[in-house]
Amino acid sequence: MIQNDTIVALATPAGVGAIAVIRLSGEKSIELVDSFFSSVKKNKSLVQQKSHTLHLGHLVHNNSVIDQVLVSIFKNPHSYTGENVVEISCHGSNYIQQEIIQLFLQNGCRMADNGEFTMRAFLNGKMDLSQAEAVADVIASNSAASHQVAIQQMRGGITNELQELRGQLLDFAALIELELDFSGEDVEFADRTKFRELVTKISFVLKRLIDSFAFGNAMKNGIPVAIIGEPNVGKSTLLNALLNEERAIVSDIAGTTRDAIEDEVVINGVVFRFIDTAGIRETEDVVESIGIQKAFEKAENAQLIIFLISAQKFIEAPESFLQEIAAIKERFPHKRLLTIANKIDTISEEQLASLTAQISDLVLLSAKQKIGIDTLEQELTSLVNTGALSNNETIVTNSRHFEALTLALESIESVKQGIELDISSDLFAIDIRECLRHLGNITGEYDVDKDILGHIFGNFCIGK
Ligand SMILES: Nc1nc2c(ncn2[C@@H]2O[C@H](COP(=O)(O)OP(=O)(O)OP(=O)(O)O)[C@@H](O)[C@H]2O)c(=O)[nH]1
Ligand SMILES: [Mg+2]
């Protein structure tokens, strides 16, 4: 599967810029660039130069200069891909970029596929599969939190976490396989107590990694926060205040919002995806009731729910509101729920005091006057599990890893049961092998299916 033909692609974004970088990788890349390169120093050819050196010169084709360029050379195996790599920094005009790429395409290069540079880096052992996948996440990261998680993974987060345990499991697997060879003689090479300890430890680490996915996935895609409440309490006004733009229509007509409206915003380094929903009430209107149905679905799928009430209406009928808050809590028992009293600008100081006395941990807000938005933002960030982030724990963000970890946990749990029930080791030897295979799939240690690789790297941009 390893190809060493020479590939070329633009590494910087398409379009005009001060500088563009064109990258080549493959055995012939240095000599290929050399054949069109005229160094200002007129000294040694590029092929004779040392790895990791920079050279100023001109790219010349048919006696005409395409551009003055700066060429970096990296020699196999000391490069990103592990092959000979050349990076050409040229002036960032579309025309120059295309001329240079065409020049190499016409002289033995092939256009790189999406992610092919990184795929080669993986195939040449420069990084494991989970690290290669993290490269795409690093490029896509759009907040401090998603960036931190991606960088951690690129530096080998999951691999480091699992490597040692996997090695120990491999040792036990070998001992148990050995027992199988002596099956008639009732010998035990693998110390059952130590083995049980290891299996418990592995299942503990796997569970923690699996649990981190809910947060990691939300982190990558934005943490969904559904804003629900009665009509007219100011849900759309709050969405607009959080986004700092007039995203949703606001009016004093109850039932203004019918379809859910979503948008993202970064708060304290974390991406939140706020979902404004249709106000919940009894209605005969078919469209509105579909909207209300959707509001409940959005709340069901959100990580956080903001339940918005009108401070004014609460003062008028506290009892029924307390019941309503209790009902919402009951409806979403496993969700983090934030109750917010909006429109505090419409009530008096005394009324405000009585409101807070009746509901503990209530966030006070005037979405319209933008009072209390800062406090709400603080509250939101503290509700999100940023503990794992600040402790620099490994957080799983990739669904392929999540699946492999879940399967590995299933197998290790079967092994655990096998030991407890003292069943014959040939039975749980199969589960140990399964577990090792699933763990190996994460880092790509076993032969990974070509289709899977195609799928993983197909999501990259060209040039990476
Ligand atoms: N005084 C005051 N009025 C507010 C506040 N927030 C919203 N309003 C007003 O309340 C009315 C309803 O606001 P919306 O944001 O449309 O309410 P909503 O909850 O989205 O309503 P539906 O979409 O119908 O469910 C508008 O007239 C807003 O200007 C506030 O903090 N103070
Ligand atoms: Mg609305």
Side-chain angles (χ1 to χ4, degrees):
M1 184 170 176
I2 294 187
Q3 300 166 315
N4 50 13
D5 55 344
T6 303
I7 51 172
V8 63
L10 183 67
T12 40
V16 179
I19 291 169
V21 176
I22 290 159
R23 176 151 65 168
L24 293 90
S25 180
E27 200 171 332
K28 298 213 161 55
S29 60
I30 300 176
E31 52 181 270
L32 200 64
V33 176
D34 210 7
S35 58
F36 299 99
F37 183 72
S38 159
S39 164
V40 289
K41 281 194 176 164
K42 307 265 183 256
N43 57 2
K44 288 184 277 187
S45 71
L46 288 180
V47 179
Q48 294 166 310
Q49 301 286 0
K50 284 193 184 138
S51 183
H52 294 69
T53 50
L54 287 177
H55 309 276
L56 183 67
H58 295 91
L59 279 183
V60 185
H61 183 222
N62 291 338
N63 291 325
S64 79
V65 171
I66 303 176
D67 194 13
Q68 185 178 51
V69 293
L70 190 64
V71 170
S72 337
I73 54 180
F74 305 90
K75 290 193 170 172
N76 155 10
H78 304 292
S79 72
Y80 181 73
T81 58
E83 304 171 333
N84 286 337
V85 169
V86 183
E87 287 182 6
I88 303 170
S89 304
C90 60
H91 292 100
S93 103
N94 274 328
Y95 177 75
I96 293 174
Q97 294 170 16
Q98 285 318 311
E99 281 297 289
I100 297 177
I101 291 171
Q102 285 305 322
L103 179 66
F104 294 119
L105 288 179
Q106 284 156 16
N107 288 279
C109 260
R110 173 169 67 74
M111 195 72 190
D113 291 330
N114 295 41
E116 196 171 357
F117 290 92
T118 308
M119 179 151 93
R120 287 183 176 203
F122 161 65
L123 293 173
N124 291 323
K126 299 300 282 190
M127 51 178 90
D128 73 34
L129 197 54
S130 74
Q131 290 173 305
E133 287 168 301
V135 172
D137 293 342
V138 169
I139 296 173
S141 65
N142 57 354
S143 67
S146 61
H147 167 255
Q148 183 186 330
V149 170
I151 289 279
Q152 221 248 10
Q153 192 187 326
M154 192 174 72
R155 297 181 63 208
I158 289 202
T159 320
N160 299 341
E161 196 107 9
L162 294 173
Q163 198 80 325
E164 200 189 319
L165 293 173
R166 196 169 158 265
Q168 291 170 5
L169 187 61
L170 213 52
D171 292 345
F172 269 104
L175 290 175
I176 291 199
E177 304 268 337
L178 199 62
E179 285 178 15
L180 299 183
D181 292 342
F182 292 84
S183 54
E185 304 173 29
D186 195 26
V187 284
E188 259 188 23
F189 295 110
D191 179 330
R192 289 298 185 268
T193 315
K194 281 195 180 142
F195 187 43
R196 193 176 298 133
E197 274 169 23
L198 176 67
V199 166
T200 309
K201 201 163 159 194
I202 291 175
S203 108
F204 177 79
V205 172
L206 289 177
K207 275 184 193 147
R208 192 174 60 63
L209 288 172
I210 290 167
D211 285 347
S212 76
F213 180 67
F215 173 62
N217 193 40
M219 174 75 40
K220 201 160 140 185
N221 301 310
I223 294 171
V225 184
I227 307 172
I228 61 169
E230 282 189 352
N232 250 343
V233 292
K235 298 180 295 299
S236 302
T237 312
L238 174 59
L239 177 79
N240 292 346
L242 287 164
L243 300 178
N244 222 346
E245 71 173 77
E246 299 308 304
R247 180 76 174 75
I249 300 174
V250 167
S251 89
D252 56 4
I253 303 164
T256 304
T257 307
R258 297 187 153 211
D259 213 348
I261 301 171
E262 314 193 7
D263 215 335
E264 287 183 355
V265 65
V266 179
I267 300 173
N268 300 330
V270 180
V271 181
F272 286 91
R273 192 154 48 78
F274 291 104
I275 308 148
D276 176 25
T277 62
I280 298 160
R281 66 170 171 182
E282 295 290 326
T283 174
E284 298 288 298
D285 187 307
V286 180
V287 179
E288 192 182 354
S289 61
I290 295 172
I292 294 169
Q293 183 59 35
K294 212 168 176 178
F296 281 116
E297 278 165 26
K298 290 288 176 185
E300 195 66 66
N301 294 322
Q303 284 239 312
L304 283 169
I305 299 176
I306 288 182
F307 181 50
L308 203 62
I309 59 173
S310 155
Q312 205 179 9
K313 285 180 86 175
F314 181 90
I315 297 297
E316 285 162 18
E319 274 311 311
S320 74
F321 267 95
L322 288 172
Q323 275 169 16
E324 214 172 296
I325 294 166
I328 290 285
K329 277 191 180 146
E330 209 167 293
R331 180 157 188 159
F332 302 105
H334 305 298
K335 296 278 171 199
R336 286 161 205 254
L337 190 79
L338 201 60
T339 311
I340 303 184
N342 189 31
K343 308 197 185 185
I344 52 160
D345 55 301
T346 59
I347 59 172
S348 69
E349 294 268 326
E350 296 86 65
Q351 286 174 323
L352 202 59
S354 104
L355 185 64
T356 39
Q358 289 183 76
I359 317 175
S360 57
D361 56 352
L362 184 70
V363 179
L364 303 172
L365 197 76
S366 167
K368 195 173 177 177
Q369 316 267 356
K370 300 208 170 141
I371 302 167
I373 300 286
D374 287 355
T375 322
L376 171 59
E377 289 182 343
Q378 291 299 338
E379 201 75 28
L380 284 169
T381 351
S382 68
L383 278 178
V384 173
N385 173 16
T386 45
L389 265 186
S390 43
N391 293 336
N392 232 347
E393 280 172 27
T394 304
I395 296 167
V396 178
T397 56
N398 183 305
S399 51
R400 194 184 70 82
H401 302 168
F402 173 72
E403 266 164 44
L405 290 166
T406 310
L407 292 170
L409 180 64
E410 271 172 30
S411 331
I412 207 76
E413 289 293 327
S414 307
V415 176
K416 208 161 143 188
Q417 260 178 13
I419 311 172
E420 310 277 312
L421 299 173
D422 206 16
I423 64 167
S424 121
S425 43
D426 53 340
L427 292 176
F428 63 77
I430 301 167
D431 291 316
I432 298 176
R433 252 178 269 147
E434 274 294 287
C435 180
L436 286 167
R437 192 169 63 81
H438 293 307
L439 294 179
N441 273 341
I442 297 177
T443 48
E445 243 145 295
Y446 291 94
D447 280 344
V448 189
D449 204 303
K450 203 174 169 183
D451 289 344
I452 297 180
L453 284 187
H455 177 75
I456 292 171
F457 291 103
N459 291 327
F460 275 61
C461 46
I462 292 179
K464 192 62 231 181

